[in-house]
């Protein structure tokens, strides 16, 4: 079970991380909203804990962005803002639960367990960009509702690009993550597979999503 904790108070973040790690959870920590969003887009999490008063991007805004890309992952808001209006803002942003500071650590654990049990019956881990969808559970890809048949390598490539959508990915990154560390970087096989993928996800659809950035790599994004 992997948890993303976004909390700008470093001592509190360390306390929470240590406590829930002792319960068998794997925890990644971000100390501001932008770093939290970047981590969310780079890795797969089973549950997310968000503070509200975060630097760069507040918890409500971050929750809305998370919800726009993943409707299923449970989100717990953990904050000193505990008025009814604040809670309403949190739930309207897409939070599943709201725990006010200060809190008993045991209550936090109980809420985490309840959220993970509840999420077990939901559809999980859908990545989206425009009308392109990738289901990480079933390993299927659709665009505009049409299923796109991919080879194992093509799927691995689109999954890596979707997890890093909006970010320029170099050929070296792709070779290490999708192929292997011993991959021959002088080979044109990556370009060949990018071409295969582009024909399948872009040729008959609009807008184009898979772009080549000359001299830098590739990026999956809307123009």
């Amino acid at each position: 079970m992997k948890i993303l904790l976004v909390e700008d108070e470093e001592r509190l973040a360390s306390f929470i991380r240590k406590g829930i790690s002792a319960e068998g959870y794997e925890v990644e920590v971000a100390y501001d909203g932008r770093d939290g969003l970047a981590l969310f887009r780079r890795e797969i999490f089973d549950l997310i804990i968000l503070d509200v008063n975060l630097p760069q991007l507040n918890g409500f805004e971050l929750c809305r962005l998370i919800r726009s890309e993943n409707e299923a992952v449970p989100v717990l808001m953990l904050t000193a803002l505990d008025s009814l209006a604040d809670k309403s803002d949190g739930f309207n942003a897409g939070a599943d639960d709201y725990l006010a500071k200060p809190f008993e650590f045991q209550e936090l654990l109980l809420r985490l367990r309840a959220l993970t049990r509840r999420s077990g019956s939901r559809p999980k881990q859908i990545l989206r960009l425009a009308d392109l969808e990738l289901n990480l559970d079933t390993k299927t890809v659709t665009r505009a509702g049409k299923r796109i048949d991919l080879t194992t390598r093509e799927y691995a490539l689109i999954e890596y690009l979707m997890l890093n959508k909006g970010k320029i990915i170099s050929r070296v990154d792709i070779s290490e993550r999708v192929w292997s560390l011993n991959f021959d970087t002088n080979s044109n096989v990556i370009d060949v597979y990018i071409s295969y993928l582009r024909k399948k996800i872009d040729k008959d659809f609009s807008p184009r999503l898979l772009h080549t950035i000359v001299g830098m790599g590739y990026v999956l994004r809307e123009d």
Side-chain angles (χ1 to χ4, degrees):
M1 181 69 66
K2 192 169 186 177
I3 293 177
L4 171 61
L5 170 64
V6 189
E7 168 61 64
D8 66 323
E9 296 179 41
E10 293 190 19
R11 290 181 63 184
L12 179 58
S14 177
F15 169 75
I16 295 172
R17 182 178 191 172
K18 183 177 179 180
I20 58 181
S21 294
E23 297 294 318
Y25 296 100
E26 181 182 353
V27 186
E28 293 282 349
V29 179
Y31 299 102
D32 66 60
R34 286 183 183 172
D35 285 348
L37 182 62
L39 264 177
F40 162 74
R41 287 174 168 170
R42 188 165 65 244
E43 302 182 34
I44 301 300
F45 295 96
D46 300 290
L47 189 143
I48 299 173
I49 303 173
L50 300 180
D51 188 17
V52 170
N53 290 324
L54 294 167
Q56 307 297 330
L57 189 68
N58 73 47
F60 296 145
E61 294 169 335
L62 178 54
C63 189
R64 289 189 188 95
L65 287 169
I66 288 171
R67 275 289 167 259
S68 71
E69 299 180 22
N70 188 316
E71 297 175 358
V73 62
V75 176
L76 170 65
M77 306 294 286
L78 185 65
T79 176
L81 301 176
D82 62 351
S83 71
L84 182 58
D86 292 322
K87 292 179 180 179
S88 177
D89 287 341
F91 287 122
N92 287 335
D96 296 280
D97 201 356
Y98 202 110
L99 182 59
K101 301 174 183 177
F103 58 90
E104 295 289 338
F105 185 73
Q106 188 61 33
E107 182 177 3
L108 174 62
L109 284 179
L110 290 172
R111 289 176 183 250
L112 294 182
R113 290 167 184 159
L115 284 172
T116 53
R117 284 198 304 271
R118 196 184 312 163
S119 67
S121 61
R122 300 179 185 179
K124 292 184 178 179
Q125 306 301 344
I126 305 294
L127 304 180
R128 293 185 177 86
L129 178 64
D131 55 357
L132 178 68
E133 293 191 0
L134 186 150
N135 187 312
L136 290 165
D137 292 328
T138 61
K139 307 296 184 186
T140 55
V141 176
T142 62
R143 183 150 191 203
K146 179 181 178 181
R147 177 162 177 159
I148 298 172
D149 293 323
L150 301 173
T151 66
T152 301
R153 191 72 72 183
E154 288 168 348
Y155 175 83
L157 179 56
I158 189 65
E159 180 184 77
Y160 183 55
L161 291 169
M162 282 285 278
L163 287 169
N164 292 276
K165 57 189 174 184
K167 177 180 176 183
I168 297 173
I169 306 298
S170 70
R171 296 176 78 258
V172 172
D173 288 336
I174 293 173
S175 69
E176 292 178 351
R177 298 300 184 91
V178 180
W179 270 262
S180 71
L181 292 175
N182 297 320
F183 179 77
D184 180 5
T185 55
N186 293 318
S187 167
N188 72 338
V189 70
I190 291 176
D191 308 280
V192 170
Y193 272 86
I194 287 288
S195 177
Y196 291 159
L197 203 54
R198 183 175 280 122
K199 288 177 182 177
K200 292 187 177 183
I201 70 168
D202 272 347
K203 182 180 178 182
D204 298 322
F205 304 95
S206 182
R208 290 191 310 117
L209 299 177
L210 182 52
H211 306 276
T212 299
I213 309 300
V214 178
M216 300 178 69
Y218 308 96
V219 61
L220 203 60
R221 69 185 180 202
E222 291 186 77
D223 279 332

